[in-house]
Amino acid sequence: MSDLGEISSAALQQYLAHADKLGLDTAAALIHAGIDPEQALRPEARIDGREFQRLLHRLADQSGDPLFGLHTSAFIQPGSYNVMGYISMSVHTLHEALLKVTLYERLVGDMGTTDINMESEQAQIRWHCRYPDQPVRRHLIDNVLSSWLCYARWLTGNDKLAPAEVLLEHPEPAATQIAEYERIFHCPVRFGQPHSALVGAPDLLMLPTRQPDPLLLSTLEAHATAQLAQLGIETSLSQRVRQCIKDAIGHTLPRKEAVAERLGMNIRTLHRHLADEGQSWQKLLDEIRLDQAKQLLRNTDQAQTFIADALGYSDIRSFQRSFKRHTGQTPGQFRKTGQTL
């Protein structure tokens, strides 16, 4: 594998579909890049990052479209994200879908990494591209951010869904190109920024998806974990337990027995393996409930009784005691001062 890693052939299809629509000879472009056209059609195939870079450079150049990457988002579909796309269909909210992205995005490829930055007034979903060479880097960033948004519109059934603004690291282009960015994103786009991100109110991430399916989610995640293992990518048990807790919390207090069963082990084995990683069930549960409580206190005006119930505490006093033990503040003091602890 090269220093640019790999990309799944599934993710490649967006670029090829857009090139086909423009009338480009995609088979010739694949061969020029060193990619077997038949391999590019196999869903589970992996393409070397250097070959993908050559392909994208050639397609963008031949297209004559300076916004080639941006326009590939019109061809996004669940399969473009490998099994991760179907996992994101099965969760309850956009926030949960994004958490799955951070966990499984290497199934799509090694092009970059995602992080979610939550503040009191805004949420930023950032993507950090690994490819340094231009114009490939610009096309990749445009593709990822615009595809995320198009897919989020599909997940929620809201074609008008839009962030408050989009941040792009690229230099500011011509006015006609800015207008095209804003047509696709449905919001102002700022260029020359320190990082590239979709920016909006935290409430946007709480939008429900159209068809959550917890049972299917469990099966898909088991498949995703197996695929990561085949690729030699480690996923620790504590990461997987943390994700199971996040999936359940807010709907019901997650039970150890149910999580252990979902992960294919008994309670004793779960405890033993977590201990081997320096973790425990209670520590993970406390960390996640504390993080969720902070977000709800910062970003909503929900009553503490509601928050305590949503996070699975037996009553408001248990919630208040736990919060103060971990932060040194009561929930009310934290909400009033707006501190980030």
Side-chain angles (χ1 to χ4, degrees):
M1 186 172 70
S2 76
D3 57 349
L4 294 180
E6 297 175 324
I7 178 176
S8 72
S9 63
L12 196 65
Q13 302 312 310
Q14 270 184 278
Y15 300 94
L16 297 177
H18 182 45
D20 281 334
K21 183 180 179 182
L22 295 175
L24 304 184
D25 187 342
T26 52
L30 285 164
I31 293 170
H32 176 269
I35 303 170
D36 180 349
E38 291 188 6
Q39 181 190 23
L41 295 176
R42 294 201 295 270
E44 300 301 325
R46 308 285 290 186
I47 308 299
D48 183 90
R50 292 169 301 183
E51 295 172 352
F52 169 61
Q53 181 170 253
R54 286 197 293 270
L55 174 67
L56 183 50
H57 193 286
R58 185 174 181 86
L59 292 177
D61 183 59
Q62 290 186 336
S63 73
D65 179 5
L67 303 181
F68 180 84
L70 184 70
H71 291 144
T72 59
S73 63
F75 299 91
I76 191 66
Q77 53 185 304
S80 304
Y81 294 128
N82 199 291
V83 67
M84 187 182 77
Y86 299 103
I87 287 173
S88 64
M89 289 170 55
S90 304
V91 300
H92 290 85
T93 67
L94 286 182
H95 189 237
E96 290 176 29
L98 285 166
L99 290 173
K100 300 301 185 186
V101 168
T102 63
L103 192 59
Y104 299 116
E105 63 187 332
R106 289 194 66 187
L107 288 175
V108 181
D110 301 309
M111 294 87 73
T113 56
T114 305
D115 67 59
I116 308 168
N117 184 265
M118 299 286 286
E119 299 177 358
S120 58
E121 299 296 329
Q122 68 175 23
Q124 287 196 9
I125 303 102
R126 303 174 181 173
W127 192 66
H128 308 279
C129 185
R130 289 186 60 212
Y131 282 55
D133 294 352
Q134 296 291 8
V136 168
R137 181 182 180 90
R138 173 169 53 84
H139 289 304
L140 281 172
I141 291 171
D142 286 352
N143 163 267
V144 169
L145 294 192
S146 57
S147 294
W148 275 353
L149 183 56
C150 289
Y151 195 55
R153 288 170 181 160
W154 184 82
L155 282 177
T156 58
N158 180 0
D159 291 338
K160 296 182 179 180
L161 179 65
E165 63 179 359
V166 173
L167 308 181
L168 293 174
E169 64 178 53
H170 327 325
E172 184 170 311
T176 54
Q177 292 181 27
I178 294 175
E180 180 65 357
Y181 277 104
E182 294 185 347
R183 181 189 70 81
I184 289 175
F185 286 110
H186 298 179
C187 70
V189 179
R190 294 167 56 197
F191 296 88
Q193 300 301 306
H195 53 260
S196 299
L198 302 177
V199 182
D203 286 352
L204 284 177
L205 296 185
M206 297 303 114
L207 289 174
T209 59
R210 294 187 298 171
Q211 47 191 35
D213 190 335
L215 292 178
L216 179 59
L217 176 64
S218 178
T219 301
L220 291 170
E221 288 202 271
H223 179 59
T225 300
Q227 281 194 328
L228 286 172
Q230 289 172 3
L231 293 171
I233 300 170
E234 291 294 329
T235 52
S236 69
L237 178 64
S238 56
Q239 282 180 304
R240 294 159 64 196
V241 170
R242 187 184 299 274
Q243 194 61 57
C244 289
I245 294 173
K246 287 180 178 179
D247 290 341
I249 211 160
H251 308 291
T252 182
L253 182 65
R255 293 171 54 250
K256 284 185 288 187
E257 294 80 5
V259 170
E261 182 179 354
R262 176 173 168 180
L263 296 176
M265 61 186 70
N266 60 39
I267 290 291
R268 291 182 64 184
T269 303
L270 176 69
H271 282 304
R272 185 173 70 251
H273 287 323
L274 285 176
D276 290 342
E277 296 179 7
Q279 296 285 357
S280 71
W281 168 268
Q282 193 60 49
K283 181 180 177 183
L284 292 173
L285 180 61
D286 287 346
E287 287 175 356
I288 292 165
R289 291 205 288 190
L290 179 63
D291 182 63
Q292 294 283 326
K294 287 179 180 179
Q295 290 191 36
L296 291 169
L297 290 166
R298 283 196 202 105
N299 303 324
T300 76
D301 58 0
Q302 291 173 348
Q304 290 185 37
T305 50
F306 178 89
I307 295 174
D309 184 60
L311 299 182
Y313 290 95
S314 57
D315 54 47
I316 188 172
R317 291 182 180 177
S318 297
F319 166 56
Q320 291 171 333
R321 284 195 301 268
S322 176
F323 192 91
K324 187 169 185 179
R325 183 171 67 252
H326 287 96
T327 68
Q329 289 184 309
T330 66
Q333 289 170 333
F334 178 86
R335 172 173 270 169
K336 184 176 181 180
T337 61
Q339 289 188 30
T340 302
L341 299 175

